[in-house]
Structure formats: structure tokens, C-alpha cells
Amino acid sequence: MPQPDVDNVIRKKLKQSVSQLDKAEAVLSHLVSDISPSLRITKTIAVPNLTAFQDLCRCLGTTDPAAITGLCLCSDQLSDPKTPWDVSSDVLMELENWWKRRVAGAGPDSHMTPVLYKTLIARFCGPATTVTVPCTSPPRLCVKTLGQAVFLTGQCYTAQITLFPEQVDLLNNAPQRLFIAGPPGTGKTVMLLLVGTEWLRRRIQVNIVCTGRWSRVACRMVHHLLLHTINTQQIAVPLPGLLKLHQYDFSDGKDVEKAVSDLSQMATEGSLYVIADEVASEQSSDYYFKEFCEKLLARVSNLHLWAATCYHGNAPAGWQTESLTRPLRSPPVIVREIEQDWAITRSKEVQAYSERGVPDHTDGPPVTQLTHRGQDHSGHVIGECITCGREVASLLNSLHIGVQAPNTSATGVPTKGSTPPPTLQWRDVLLHSSGVGDKSAVVMAMRNAGIPVQVMKEDDHEDVAIARSDVV
């Protein structure tokens, strides 16, 4: 370039440098104003490709234009640009002299202390360096409390479920009559929901059969979820009465004939489609379910019936049986608790879990154990112990259930437009104990601690199944 053009470019770049430095000084003064409003700020410019320049007095804080060269760091004070890694002793000395003259020459700042220096470093490594970065997918939530960890663990295992190959094969082969057994959380109900959804998509009437008190909540939940499927876009133009819920009690066998009669009358052209979840409360009660299946098949030749239970070994004769033992809906920390149950370890009525075979989402938050034992505990059962009630209430309150935390960034600064941290609801909590009533000590203690508690009655199965009320 001709020299006049070179000079113009230099002037333009220096003008930009001055503007940048002035803005930087204003920002720096503002950021530290609450810590030290009078802190001295010194500006300088490093121009490694130039040897001389002028008229920077105002920006660099000098009245002598001849001093500008000494205030700036220039190329002749640095290593050869062709070999910048070759730092000679002369270059080190030049740099040291410049540092003393430009940075240390003004002497110590009375406002600057070692504590203030560390505070400034923390300031610029924290909020001042926080930026908003656009993402192609929603940002991950920051888990800060045990309650949030519990919530997100549940989401990991229920919000989106990936089936195992053996489950996909079952759905693809779709046997007419299938008996599914396996320990809790292995996907038995999931299979019933998926086959029921497929039948509904084909505009086939689905009958959900509840075989006893032990299965009412499970069957209510299946009914609720399939009803939701009908009411969404998955089922186009649903027919009235496409989904039926039948409640019987097979505990003593009296309802078996009624169930067979009711359902056989609902068969269409010799075909009937039935789902039954938790068909037995224990292995011995499978007898009446087997009787029901045999009599129903004698009346309905084209019977499609999928049933599930935790108890294995009592499938109706001639049925295809499938054991699901790989944990699907429970984290390892819960599986380890369940597999200690007497029905798995001693009576063997429930099969043991097998290895999952694929990595888990998380091990899950640790299990907290509260023991009905000690000087302040009273009564033979937990329901009679006010101390147990207080301990349970304290644990639930520590999870911050129902308390919505504000949206915050990684540094704890409130933000707008981001997803709020997850929050547990009271409806997410189930307290299971025998012999508990509205006036039980454990219930009263929890209510006194501000926890909404509802004791489940005979008519509350649906409320519990679909978590309609926000109560424990």
C-alpha cells in the first residue's frame, strides 16, 4: 500500500483502539463500583506490528507526546514475529522495564488490598463472564436439591421408556393369549398398555378386567391411560363404548361365573379382547383366575386376553407365558430394595431380577430409612407412633415438596425465560401402612407439620390411580 494509505489505516485502527479502551474503562468502573468506586484504572495499547505512532496522549494519560512511545508496547520490544517463541534475555529486560514504567511505576493503589484483589478475580470469573448461549435442544436443568433429584429420577424412568428387544418381539408377534410374570418395574403394565393401544387403533373394543381389591388401583390406572389415548390424536374418530372397565372379586371364586357371563355377551362375531393387570394378590389366588380363563375360552373361541402378575408359575393351560425380569421402570437403588423381599428371597413366588444389560440413567438418590424403634417411639405399629409421623413429615418437608424454586443460572442469578427447576408434588408421595385412619397418630403428626394427608378409603381407588388430588 502507498504510505498515505498505510497512515490512514493506522489512524483508523488507533481510533478504534481508543474507543475500545474508553468503553472498557466505563464497564470496568461500573462493575467494581459497589466494591471500590475510586479504584484507579490504567489503560494501555499493545501494537506489536508498529514501531511509532502519535496523538494518544488523552487516552494513555500523558501530556507529553514524546512519552507515548514509552507507554506503549511495540514490535521492537518483542521477539521477532517470525520466531515469537525465541524470547531472549534482551526481550525479557525490555518487557520488564516497560512493565515497571507503565504498570508498577505509578506506585501502589491505596484502595487495592489482597482481599479486594481476590474479590475482583472472583467477580470476573463469575457473573461478569456468564453468557447466554443458544441451544438446538432445551438446556439441561441444574439439580440442586434432593427433591429435584427424586423428581428427575422418576422422569428418567417414566417420561420416555425404551423397550427391551424381548418386549418388542412380543408386541410384533402379538400372541392371542399371553400371561406375563415378573418382579415389579419390569414393564408388565407397559406391555398391557401398548397392546391395548394397538387394539384401540384398530377400533376394537377393549375390556379391562379387575379380578379383586388388590388390582383395582392398577386397573383404574390402565383404564385412565387408555382413555387418555382415545381422547388424543392417536385414535381417530373413536367409537362410543370402545373401552370398558369391569370390576370383580375372584378372592373366593363367587364372581367367576358372573365375569364369564358378562364378558361372553360382549363378544363380537366370536371375538373378545381382554386386559387384566395384577391378576392375583398371591400365587395361590391364581386358581380362580385360571378357572375364569378356561371357562371364558370355552364360550369365546377367538379370545384375545393378555394378563400380568408378579407371581409366576400359574399360567392357564395352553397359554404362552413370558417372564420379564429386566428392570425397566426402576433405578438400581430401588431394585436393590425390592429384591430383598421375602417373596423373592424365600418363597420364590416372585422371580428374581436379571441384569439390565444396558447402562442405567442413574443409580438414583439414596434410600433413607426411618426406624420405629427408640425411647420416643410408641405403639406396636407405625400408625400409632406420633414420633414416626414427625420423622416422616420432617423428611418430606426437607424435599421442598410443592415449593417452586425461581429460575436461576449456574451462578445462582435469577434468569428469565428458562425452564424452572423440577418440583415434587404431594401427589407424588404414597405412604403405605396398615391399620391407619384419619385419627391415627402418624396422620395427625403429619397434618400438624403442614402436610396435606388423605387416608385412602374404598372409594378412593381412582383418585389414587390418577393422582387427581394433590395430597399424600
Side-chain angles (χ1 to χ4, degrees), residues 71 75 145 155 164 191 232 245 247 255 268 308 311 344 374 378 399 417 428 439 450 465 467:
L71 296 177
S75 63
T145 67
Q155 289 291 97
F164 292 117
M191 299 300 292
T232 60
L245 175 63
Q247 294 194 78
D255 278 358
T268 303
Y311 304 94
I344 296 178
S378 58
L399 298 177
D428 296 324
K439 302 299 182 182

Side-chain angles (χ1 to χ4, degrees), residues 146-147 150 366-370 387-401 424 426 429 431 446 449 451:
L146 179 59
V150 173
V367 172
T368 300
Q369 295 188 351
L370 305 177
T387 301
C388 282
R390 290 169 178 166
E391 291 181 352
V392 172
S394 176
L395 174 62
L396 294 181
N397 281 325
S398 71
L399 298 177
H400 304 290
I401 298 176
L424 285 170
W426 295 116
V429 183
L431 180 64
M446 293 176 67
I451 295 177

Side-chain angles (χ1 to χ4, degrees), residues 428-442:
D428 296 324
V429 183
L430 175 68
L431 180 64
H432 179 256
S433 181
S434 59
V436 173
D438 279 326
K439 302 299 182 182
S440 298
V442 66

Side-chain angles (χ1 to χ4, degrees), residues 51-95:
T51 57
F53 39 94
Q54 50 184 309
D55 202 15
L56 295 176
C57 296
R58 181 190 57 80
C59 181
L60 300 184
T62 180
T63 58
D64 183 7
I68 290 179
T69 305
L71 296 177
C72 294
L73 193 62
C74 302
S75 63
D76 50 1
Q77 295 170 283
L78 300 174
S79 300
D80 188 338
K82 298 179 182 179
T83 56
W85 56 86
D86 184 11
V87 183
S88 65
S89 57
D90 293 337
V91 170
L92 282 177
M93 183 177 296
E94 283 290 337
L95 185 60

